[in-house]
Amino acid sequence: MTVTLLTDYGHDDEFVGVCHGVIRTIVPDAPIVDVTHGIPRHSIRHGALVLRNALPYLPPGVHMAVVDPQVGTERRAVAVRCGDGRLLVGPDNGLLSLAWERAGGVVEAVDVSRSPHRLEPVSATFHGRDVFAPVAAHLSAGAALADAGDPLDPADLVELELPVASVGADEALAHVLLVDRFGNAALNLDHAALLATGGTIGSRVLVESGGRSRKATVVQTFADVAPGELLLYEDAWGWLALAINRGDAAAELGLEPDREVRIAASR
Amino acid sequence: MTVTLLTDYGHDDEFVGVCHGVIRTIVPDAPIVDVTHGIPRHSIRHGALVLRNALPYLPPGVHMAVVDPQVGTERRAVAVRCGDGRLLVGPDNGLLSLAWERAGGVVEAVDVSRSPHRLEPVSATFHGRDVFAPVAAHLSAGAALADAGDPLDPADLVELELPVASVGADEALAHVLLVDRFGNAALNLDHAALLATGGTIGSRVLVESGGRSRKATVVQTFADVAPGELLLYEDAWGWLALAINRGDAAAELGLEPDREVRIAASR
Amino acid sequence: MTVTLLTDYGHDDEFVGVCHGVIRTIVPDAPIVDVTHGIPRHSIRHGALVLRNALPYLPPGVHMAVVDPQVGTERRAVAVRCGDGRLLVGPDNGLLSLAWERAGGVVEAVDVSRSPHRLEPVSATFHGRDVFAPVAAHLSAGAALADAGDPLDPADLVELELPVASVGADEALAHVLLVDRFGNAALNLDHAALLATGGTIGSRVLVESGGRSRKATVVQTFADVAPGELLLYEDAWGWLALAINRGDAAAELGLEPDREVRIAASR
């Protein structure tokens, strides 16, 4: 069964490679997919959103995720089975919660902090290597979830809360969910919400954030506006997003996660 | 059959991982080689040159490449079979053209914009996921090229033009083709061109670019000059290149793609 | 047999991808583990330490490593068999030496500079592609080590020297071994050495380096101190390391490889 990995380890150090080594030692031939290791350090919500977005495009399997500022403390390490059969492995800090919502909820959960699959001695700072990777590998090899740790009530798992946008008659008050490396900023709005404010393809809207105000064109893709122009489009995950064609919208508008953004019809 | 990937997606986001996920969902066991995802954003020519250079070292298979500033517009998405049997998949913007020149030309081409293999709904901005990856995966699994899209006359494909150097009796007027992350700058000159200007291993040449002028030693490798010294050498792809031992030639000489560089015998 | 790779090539260019291509051309199905390609350029010792640390977590196989400032000169290229059966391939500049110490020493060595497995013509600057990758691939496919090059006396191999800490009654004079991308600095001290100076979990120590002095708390993990506080902990490889919770200890204390650090009991 495929193992997928998502972390904030980056590629400068050997953390990802060592996790691969641990997995390959246990299951030499399992396909491994690195979803990304570029989650901003300690950004649980960014990781949770990316995992949720990517999930439908990943083969069913064991999905390990590690963004873990509380590593080495009493925070739980968990493995869960979702309604659709996918298995998720990671710290119990909300990182996995948007993914399991999308995958049919949690039908079985275990605490793997003292998993029989763990590598001893477990270090205080690298549970990716010592706990999560060996647990994920054994699950991918067919080990039973119930044998990977101690049973846990799914209701006790940590859930993540996302900010909620409010959509009025001619404006929407939204928030930045995440910013990608090109400076494109996804908002907690979908296309239906935009239509409610009168925004249709080709129309102009007013974008206000942090005291700055700028007009954007509602379009389908970057090349529909001139280089340097602001656009509002439905991104590849179904969110409305702000971007600048061949530019960096986040830098120019000061957009960062949780920042409020007002989108209003432009008259 | 192996699938190779080359893009400008970088590793900070999940774009590469999601393409892997799409491929692995269709062909769980195909070998995947990531040629690089570090092509400078939107730099079609850089991508085309790297793909061309790498190709002889890649196992024959399906070679997917995405550097696609016009994604979501009417630019074509294509898959082609080369004279040597390799299959190339990507946007029809010249990105693939240096590779197919090297691989025996195009013997069959299809427009895959509305490929039956595509993932619907196709997003306006992420054709790597929705078009190119599933087409590449199905081809690697043995699907017929003719079934991947609509037939296309190879003569209609977009070709890339490279700048042409002029080599005189005692000087060469060349251009920077690309700069790697160490600041080494490849020129559109090969070793034979240098010999024509009298440059032999151990000789000194005058390098002029952007109003700056500096002497370089013609050598085989970095360690043949002292740290900090400029060298002219045949790089691993057969081009003449400028470098500074343990330094950054591009930064020191202001070299960037297309910049003219005059190489003259130094008396 | 698994092939693992460790280099200073980075991910911006196609160097790593081309090595994968060469390996996959020879052994299409061998598992490949990228330990890391983020070793600081030309930092042989950093690479040697990371390879040594990672080795116990990698499946037994062929371990190729390239940090090679002398590429193209007369430095030897080698392949060795360790006492525990692992095979190491790389330049003979000390890069492999900490790994073979850990793997039971060298029991057989060959000079692969003119290996029958090499790709000709061998470039002067990219032996990863032309020498090390094809040698590693053939070894992983089962080729005999003796057939990969010319026999070599293991006693002639280059060994790396590490700085040695001195541990006194109430202080230790140590050195920075390496700094990771989070700014955590590993010292050439283990936990036993710390205990010798009276440092126990929860105690405070004085850390002096480069004229700067600061107190640190001896703890098990980052979250045991407040954000911004300096901690001394046993890192995941068994070394004592300095870190700042949610901060960058190397930047704040000016720590870099070989820098002396005095750790003293704080009264």
Side-chain angles (χ1 to χ4, degrees):
Chain A
M1 199 152 60
T2 303
V3 179
T4 78
L5 306 179
L6 175 149
T7 74
D8 64 351
Y9 291 156
H11 285 286
D12 289 347
D13 298 299
E14 70 280 17
F15 307 133
V16 172
V18 166
C19 289
H20 276 240
V22 167
I23 294 169
R24 284 266 165 266
T25 301
I26 298 165
V27 279
D29 295 319
I32 299 180
V33 173
D34 291 292
V35 181
T36 182
H37 299 287
I39 301 298
R41 190 185 186 194
H42 291 166
S43 182
I44 294 168
R45 197 177 82 184
H46 192 117
L49 288 163
V50 169
L51 184 62
R52 168 191 175 281
N53 286 347
L55 204 66
Y57 299 98
L58 303 177
V62 184
H63 308 284
M64 164 177 155
V66 189
V67 179
D68 194 9
Q70 298 297 314
V71 62
T73 67
E74 285 303 300
R75 72 94 185 86
R76 269 191 304 238
V78 297
V80 308
R81 182 193 314 283
C82 300
D84 70 357
R86 292 180 190 266
L87 297 166
L88 310 179
V89 178
D92 182 26
N93 59 14
L95 176 65
L96 308 173
S97 65
L98 303 181
W100 72 55
E101 270 179 29
R102 190 154 192 172
V106 175
V107 296
E108 184 184 358
V110 295
D111 182 331
V112 298
S113 306
R114 284 164 198 80
S115 174
H117 305 315
R118 75 192 189 279
L119 302 188
E120 293 199 88
V122 171
S123 66
T125 53
F126 194 3
H127 287 194
R129 178 191 72 189
D130 300 330
V131 178
F132 300 122
V135 166
H138 281 283
L139 291 175
S140 104
L145 182 62
D147 296 338
D150 303 312
L152 189 62
D153 183 346
D156 290 340
L157 293 166
V158 175
E159 304 262 355
L160 209 70
E161 299 274 331
L162 290 179
V164 178
S166 68
V167 179
D170 57 359
E171 69 168 49
L173 196 62
H175 309 81
V176 175
L177 286 179
L178 45 80
V179 173
D180 72 17
R181 75 162 186 135
F182 301 126
N184 307 330
L187 307 176
N188 56 350
L189 285 179
D190 61 16
H191 210 76
L194 178 71
L195 294 177
T197 71
T200 54
I201 295 293
S203 71
R204 300 275 284 172
V205 293
L206 196 68
V207 175
E208 286 181 20
S209 184
R212 282 181 258 194
S213 168
R214 199 163 153 177
K215 287 194 180 180
T217 310
V218 181
V219 294
Q220 286 196 301
T221 190
F222 298 83
D224 291 336
V225 301
E229 275 191 36
L230 187 67
L231 59 138
L232 184 67
Y233 69 110
E234 185 182 14
D235 79 6
W237 315 107
W239 284 315
L240 287 180
L242 288 163
I244 290 174
N245 186 21
R246 305 203 176 206
D248 184 323
E252 280 205 34
L253 279 77
L255 301 175
E256 54 183 26
D258 279 328
R259 177 64 59 96
E260 261 191 17
V261 177
R262 199 172 72 93
I263 310 274
S266 169
R267 265 167 291 256
Chain B
M1 200 153 60
T2 302
V3 179
T4 78
L5 306 179
L6 174 149
T7 74
D8 64 352
Y9 291 158
H11 285 285
D12 289 348
D13 299 300
E14 70 279 17
F15 308 133
V16 173
V18 165
C19 289
H20 276 240
V22 168
I23 294 168
R24 284 264 166 267
T25 302
I26 297 165
V27 279
D29 295 318
I32 300 179
V33 173
D34 292 291
V35 180
T36 182
H37 299 287
I39 302 299
R41 190 184 184 193
H42 292 167
S43 181
I44 295 167
R45 198 177 81 185
H46 191 117
L49 288 163
V50 168
L51 184 62
R52 168 192 175 280
N53 287 346
L55 204 65
Y57 300 97
L58 303 177
V62 184
H63 307 284
M64 163 178 157
V66 189
V67 179
D68 195 10
Q70 299 297 316
V71 62
T73 67
E74 286 304 298
R75 72 95 185 85
R76 269 192 305 237
V78 297
V80 309
R81 183 193 313 283
C82 300
D84 70 356
R86 292 180 189 266
L87 297 165
L88 310 179
V89 178
D92 182 27
N93 59 14
L95 176 66
L96 308 173
S97 65
L98 304 181
W100 73 54
E101 270 178 29
R102 189 154 195 171
V106 174
V107 296
E108 183 184 0
V110 295
D111 182 332
V112 298
S113 305
R114 284 164 199 80
S115 173
H117 304 315
R118 74 191 189 279
L119 302 188
E120 293 199 89
V122 171
S123 65
T125 52
F126 193 3
H127 287 195
R129 177 191 71 188
D130 299 331
V131 178
F132 301 120
V135 166
H138 282 284
L139 291 175
S140 105
L145 182 61
D147 295 338
D150 302 314
L152 189 62
D153 183 345
D156 291 340
L157 293 166
V158 175
E159 302 262 356
L160 208 70
E161 299 273 332
L162 290 180
V164 178
S166 68
V167 180
D170 58 359
E171 68 167 48
L173 197 62
H175 309 81
V176 175
L177 286 178
L178 46 80
V179 173
D180 73 15
R181 76 162 185 135
F182 301 126
N184 306 330
L187 307 176
N188 56 350
L189 286 179
D190 60 16
H191 210 75
L194 179 71
L195 293 177
T197 71
T200 54
I201 295 292
S203 71
R204 301 274 284 171
V205 293
L206 197 67
V207 176
E208 287 181 18
S209 183
R212 279 179 260 194
S213 170
R214 198 162 154 177
K215 289 197 177 178
T217 309
V218 181
V219 294
Q220 288 198 299
T221 191
F222 298 84
D224 291 336
V225 302
E229 276 192 34
L230 186 66
L231 58 138
L232 184 68
Y233 69 110
E234 184 181 15
D235 78 5
W237 315 107
W239 284 318
L240 286 180
L242 288 164
I244 289 175
N245 186 22
R246 305 203 176 205
D248 184 323
E252 279 203 35
L253 279 78
L255 302 175
E256 54 184 27
D258 278 327
R259 177 64 60 93
E260 263 190 16
V261 177
R262 200 172 72 91
I263 310 274
S266 170
R267 266 167 291 257
Chain C
M1 198 151 62
T2 303
V3 179
T4 77
L5 307 178
L6 175 150
T7 75
D8 64 352
Y9 291 157
H11 285 285
D12 289 348
D13 299 299
E14 70 279 19
F15 307 132
V16 172
V18 166
C19 289
H20 276 242
V22 169
I23 294 169
R24 284 265 165 267
T25 302
I26 298 165
V27 279
D29 295 319
I32 300 180
V33 173
D34 291 292
V35 181
T36 183
H37 299 286
I39 301 298
R41 191 185 185 193
H42 292 167
S43 182
I44 295 168
R45 198 178 80 182
H46 192 116
L49 287 164
V50 168
L51 185 62
R52 168 193 175 280
N53 286 347
L55 204 65
Y57 299 98
L58 303 176
V62 183
H63 308 284
M64 163 178 156
V66 189
V67 179
D68 194 11
Q70 299 297 316
V71 63
T73 67
E74 286 304 298
R75 72 95 185 85
R76 270 192 304 237
V78 297
V80 309
R81 183 194 313 283
C82 300
D84 70 357
R86 292 179 189 267
L87 296 166
L88 310 179
V89 177
D92 182 26
N93 59 14
L95 176 65
L96 308 172
S97 65
L98 303 181
W100 73 54
E101 270 178 30
R102 189 153 192 172
V106 174
V107 297
E108 184 184 359
V110 295
D111 182 332
V112 298
S113 305
R114 283 163 199 82
S115 174
H117 305 314
R118 73 191 188 280
L119 302 187
E120 292 199 89
V122 171
S123 65
T125 52
F126 194 3
H127 287 194
R129 177 191 72 188
D130 300 332
V131 178
F132 301 121
V135 166
H138 282 283
L139 291 176
S140 105
L145 182 62
D147 295 338
D150 303 314
L152 188 62
D153 183 346
D156 290 341
L157 293 165
V158 175
E159 303 262 354
L160 208 70
E161 298 273 331
L162 290 179
V164 178
S166 68
V167 179
D170 57 0
E171 70 168 48
L173 198 62
H175 310 80
V176 175
L177 286 178
L178 45 78
V179 172
D180 72 17
R181 76 161 185 136
F182 301 126
N184 307 330
L187 307 176
N188 57 349
L189 285 179
D190 60 16
H191 210 75
L194 178 71
L195 293 177
T197 71
T200 55
I201 295 294
S203 71
R204 302 274 283 171
V205 293
L206 197 68
V207 175
E208 286 182 21
S209 184
R212 279 181 261 194
S213 169
R214 199 162 151 178
K215 288 196 178 180
T217 310
V218 181
V219 295
Q220 288 197 300
T221 189
F222 298 84
D224 290 338
V225 302
E229 275 192 35
L230 186 66
L231 58 137
L232 184 68
Y233 68 109
E234 184 182 15
D235 78 5
W237 314 107
W239 283 317
L240 286 181
L242 287 164
I244 289 175
N245 187 22
R246 306 204 175 204
D248 184 323
E252 280 204 34
L253 278 77
L255 302 175
E256 55 183 27
D258 278 328
R259 177 63 59 96
E260 262 191 17
V261 177
R262 199 172 73 92
I263 309 274
S266 169
R267 264 166 291 257

